[in-house]
Amino acid sequence: MRPPAAASPHEVFARLSAGISAGRWHELAALYAEDAVVEQPFALPSAAPRLEGRAAIDRHFRAAARGPLDLRARDVVVHETGDPEVIVAEFGYDGRVTTSGRAFRTANIQVLRVRDGLIAETRDYHDHPGLARAMRDG
């Protein structure tokens, strides 16, 4: 009997995006390899620009779960690349600050490398200043 094929990069990104949109923060680290690396070049000085390992990624998502943001992905476009492990995802978030009800929108790009059905590395180009502004003004 053949083992099931590992999820494709597109499928793994879809699970990640759906989990964030549904607020299932505690499930997201399971999508990452044990030694995964997340780089966030646009992170604010108060945030970690690099997360190393599933445990650090889990702590990051659990902190997000305690925050006042509700995010829903929209207008998702996934680009395949010449490397079968790598995709580029462009999308926006329709967001809401739960403490004030203030709505906002942000733009995002993620470059993901998925190996054996798990995220091995990402470069996340999120609008961190926009998210901070929404929380501050909300």
Side-chain angles (χ1 to χ4, degrees):
M1 177 178 228
R2 249 175 99 186
S8 72
H10 195 156
E11 291 167 329
V12 174
F13 172 76
R15 291 177 190 155
L16 177 65
S17 181
I20 290 170
S21 293
R24 295 190 316 265
W25 300 100
H26 62 286
E27 298 174 11
L28 299 177
L31 298 172
Y32 290 78
E34 192 64 40
D35 60 349
V37 174
V38 174
E39 296 196 38
Q40 302 178 97
F42 296 161
L44 298 175
S46 61
R50 182 178 170 95
L51 303 170
E52 295 185 40
R54 185 185 292 149
I57 294 164
D58 185 50
R59 286 190 299 274
H60 172 78
F61 284 133
R62 288 181 185 276
R66 294 187 300 273
L69 296 180
D70 181 28
L71 302 170
R72 300 283 184 263
R74 64 172 171 74
D75 302 328
V76 177
V77 177
V78 176
H79 303 277
E80 305 292 330
T81 71
D83 183 334
E85 293 184 340
V86 177
I87 60 168
V88 177
E90 297 180 81
F91 57 100
Y93 280 133
D94 284 332
R96 186 175 61 83
V97 180
T98 59
T99 53
S100 68
R102 181 181 186 277
F104 63 91
R105 291 185 125 180
T106 63
N108 310 275
I109 294 176
Q110 280 186 293
V111 180
L112 292 91
R113 177 176 299 279
V114 175
R115 190 172 293 131
D116 299 325
L118 295 172
I119 300 169
E121 60 186 47
T122 69
R123 283 188 313 280
D124 300 353
Y125 299 94
H126 301 301
D127 182 4
H128 289 276
L131 292 169
R133 218 174 14 263
M135 287 191 295
R136 182 185 66 235
D137 297 344

